[in-house]
């Protein structure tokens, strides 16, 4: 949301697919960024319902997901989506994609532009354990203030992850574990936590296999969690020590 707002976009955020369908019915939008994995109603179902109304035949709908497999992209097209943006988000590519969508929209008053305020004093340390700061800054157009805010939110949102994730697997709550690791996968990619992104991707894939065949894949998922916890702890500890304590 903040990245898009800093690019002069007017952004409306909803919490699930049903709210997305309702919002499209109630407001005029130039483009919809449709997360595929949401509570209440997923992005596929929401898009199908939107496309059933002929008023929205020309409304661009871009899928957003941490899974970039070709079969998923094809499934997105089959459900009426116009494009696909993989997580971690390449901000420049996403803005270019939005520009293509809204450039031909009759409701758009002005084009999307990238705004990158320059800070005279960096809010970030020279480096952070587990993070590729130059890559993260590049994705945000060099906006260190925004990255600083995102990292603080990451710490706030995942600080309990080291304690939360193991019980989900011990209780074999695979659905909740899959949703949690899916979210962490996308978020860790967006902050360029490369090692964490790789380990949580492996765990998320393993959990998805367990959901289909518990007997043959549960041990793989249980083994993968240790690396995720180690990588997550490294990132969280680094943010707390090098960023939060600096204010």
């Amino acid at each position: 949301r903040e990245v898009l707002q800093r690019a002069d976009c007017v952004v409306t955020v909803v919490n699930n697919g049903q709210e997305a369908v309702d919002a499209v019915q109630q407001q005029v939008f130039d483009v919809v960024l449709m997360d595929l994995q949401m509570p209440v109603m997923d992005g596929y179902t929401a898009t199908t319902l939107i496309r059933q109304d002929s008023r929205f035949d020309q409304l661009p709908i871009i899928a957003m997901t941490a899974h970039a497999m070709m079969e998923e992209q094809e499934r997105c097209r089959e459900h009426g989506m116009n494009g696909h943006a993989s997580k971690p988000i390449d901000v420049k590519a996403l803005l270019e994609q939005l520009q293509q969508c809204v450039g031909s929209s009759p409701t758009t008053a002005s084009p999307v532009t990238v705004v990158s305020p320059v800070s005279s004093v960096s809010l970030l340390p020279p480096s952070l354990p587990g993070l590729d700061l130059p890559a993260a800054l590049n994705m945000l157009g060099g906006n260190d203030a925004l990255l600083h805010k995102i990292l603080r939110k990451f710490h706030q949102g995942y600080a309990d992850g080291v304690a939360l994730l193991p019980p989900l697997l011990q209780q074999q709550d695979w659905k909740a574990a899959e949703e949690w690791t899916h979210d962490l996968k996308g978020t860790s990619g967006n902050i360029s936590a490369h090692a964490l992104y790789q380990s949580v991707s492996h765990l998320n894939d393993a959990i998805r296999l367990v959901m289909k065949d518990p007997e043959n894949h549960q041990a793989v998922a249980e083994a993968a969690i240790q690396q995720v916890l180690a990588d997550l702890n490294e990132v969280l500890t680094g943010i707390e020590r090098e960023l939060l304590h600096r204010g």
Side-chain angles (χ1 to χ4, degrees), residues 23 50 58 60 70 130 135-136 142 197 219 221 232 235:
I50 291 171
Q58 303 304 314
M70 290 301 298
Y197 176 78
L232 177 59
V235 174

Side-chain angles (χ1 to χ4, degrees), residues 95-105:
L95 292 176
E96 290 175 351
Q97 193 170 18
L98 289 176
Q99 181 68 75
Q100 293 175 359
C101 291
V102 304
S104 59
S105 171

Side-chain angles (χ1 to χ4, degrees), residues 166-187:
L168 292 179
L169 275 73
Q170 292 167 3
Q171 297 162 13
Q172 298 186 1
D173 190 346
W174 303 114
K175 186 176 186 299
E178 196 280 330
E179 291 175 353
W180 195 90
T181 54
H182 175 87
D183 290 341
L184 178 59
K185 175 182 175 181
T187 308

Side-chain angles (χ1 to χ4, degrees), residues 3-31:
V3 167
L4 294 177
Q5 287 174 337
R6 288 171 184 266
D8 288 343
C9 297
V10 178
V11 182
T12 297
V13 178
V14 298
N15 298 305
N16 56 64
Q18 183 60 62
E19 290 185 11
V21 174
D22 295 341
V24 168
Q25 297 281 346
Q26 297 165 7
Q27 302 178 54
V28 176
F29 293 96
D30 295 310
V31 60

Side-chain angles (χ1 to χ4, degrees), residues 107-134:
T107 65
T108 303
S110 60
V112 175
T113 55
V114 180
V115 180
S116 300
V118 178
S119 174
S120 58
V121 179
S122 177
L123 297 173
L124 300 170
S127 63
L128 280 171
L131 294 176
D132 183 343
L133 282 185

